[in-house]
Amino acid sequence: MSFINSSTQHLKPSATLLINQKINKLRAVSAPIQYAAIEAFKFKKEVKNSVDDSKTILHTLGNYVHQTLTQANINCTSPQGGFYILVDFNFYKDQLSKLDLKDSVSLADHLLEHYGVVLLPGVDFYFSPNEFIFRLAYVDFNGKTALDEYQKNKNIPLDLKFIKTFAPNIFNGVQIIIDFVNSLK
């Protein structure tokens, strides 16, 4: 917070105008943050390259998770540039009820307790509690190691071997989810 004496009567009109402009620029709490953001968005080439390479890796992981779960008859949204997808287990509602799993919270708890898999229940995202919809984030990996390796060799295939090597928790988590669903059949 800053304070400027509001008595500007002794100043020339142009000086008063200048002071008022400066005050108005900083009146909103977010103004200094906005000025900092302007500088931050002036990406240097190496920063832009790192962001682009990180997006490429996340895109690869998102597509892997989506395609693998979909092939296992698990409905999910396709990744749209973020780092998570929505996974839908409603197809297995009858089998889940036999395990006394009646809602997304009880299934999320069950998967965490028995399988070590963390999914956020859809009720946290305003879905009905009895809908078996979850958010799955595919970020449990060492992003720096994966990025460093990719930047050393851009010709490295971003394939299953890359995922197993640099994102083993993602690979294993997807396999655990598939094994769980297969156990319901």
Side-chain angles (χ1 to χ4, degrees):
M1 177 183 283
S2 62
F3 174 77
I4 297 178
N5 185 346
S6 62
S7 175
T8 58
Q9 294 173 352
H10 65 283
L11 298 175
K12 295 180 183 178
S14 60
T16 302
L17 179 63
L18 182 62
I19 288 173
N20 285 335
Q21 286 175 338
K22 289 193 180 288
I23 291 171
N24 285 331
K25 277 187 176 179
L26 298 176
R27 183 170 288 166
V29 174
S30 64
I33 295 168
Q34 290 172 343
Y35 284 110
I38 289 169
E39 290 304 311
F41 287 122
K42 294 178 183 174
F43 279 158
K44 294 180 181 175
K45 186 175 181 175
E46 61 270 10
V47 173
K48 183 184 181 323
N49 290 342
S50 285
V51 168
D52 289 344
D53 294 343
S54 295
K55 286 177 8 183
T56 298
I57 292 168
L58 282 171
H59 178 78
T60 298
L61 290 172
N63 284 337
Y64 162 75
V65 172
H66 173 259
Q67 290 170 2
T68 306
L69 292 177
T70 301
Q71 289 170 357
N73 202 30
I74 300 170
N75 291 325
C76 55
T77 59
S78 89
Q80 298 295 315
F83 53 86
Y84 61 87
I85 60 173
L86 295 179
V87 181
D88 180 347
F89 292 96
N90 282 305
F91 183 77
Y92 302 99
K93 215 175 226 186
D94 292 339
Q95 296 93 322
L96 293 169
S97 69
K98 292 175 186 173
L99 296 174
D100 201 29
L101 301 171
K102 306 286 187 205
D103 57 32
S104 62
V105 173
S106 62
L107 179 54
D109 290 344
H110 180 81
L111 290 171
L112 177 60
E113 183 179 331
H114 297 284
Y115 296 91
V117 172
V118 178
L119 298 176
L120 292 178
V123 69
D124 291 349
F125 305 97
Y126 305 104
F127 289 98
S128 172
N130 62 348
E131 294 291 322
F132 289 95
I133 296 175
F134 302 85
R135 187 177 86 171
L136 180 156
Y138 43 90
V139 293
D140 187 9
F141 69 102
N142 186 328
K144 180 176 178 3
T145 303
L147 181 61
D148 288 347
E149 187 64 29
Y150 179 67
Q151 288 180 328
K152 276 194 273 184
N153 178 9
K154 296 265 179 124
N155 294 324
I156 187 170
L158 297 178
D159 57 7
L160 191 57
K161 180 180 178 189
F162 183 91
I163 292 168
K164 285 181 177 181
T165 302
F166 296 104
N169 292 345
I170 304 299
F171 175 80
N172 292 331
V174 168
Q175 296 309 309
I176 290 169
I177 291 170
I178 291 169
D179 290 345
F180 169 73
V181 166
N182 287 336
S183 77
L184 297 174
K185 296 176 183 176

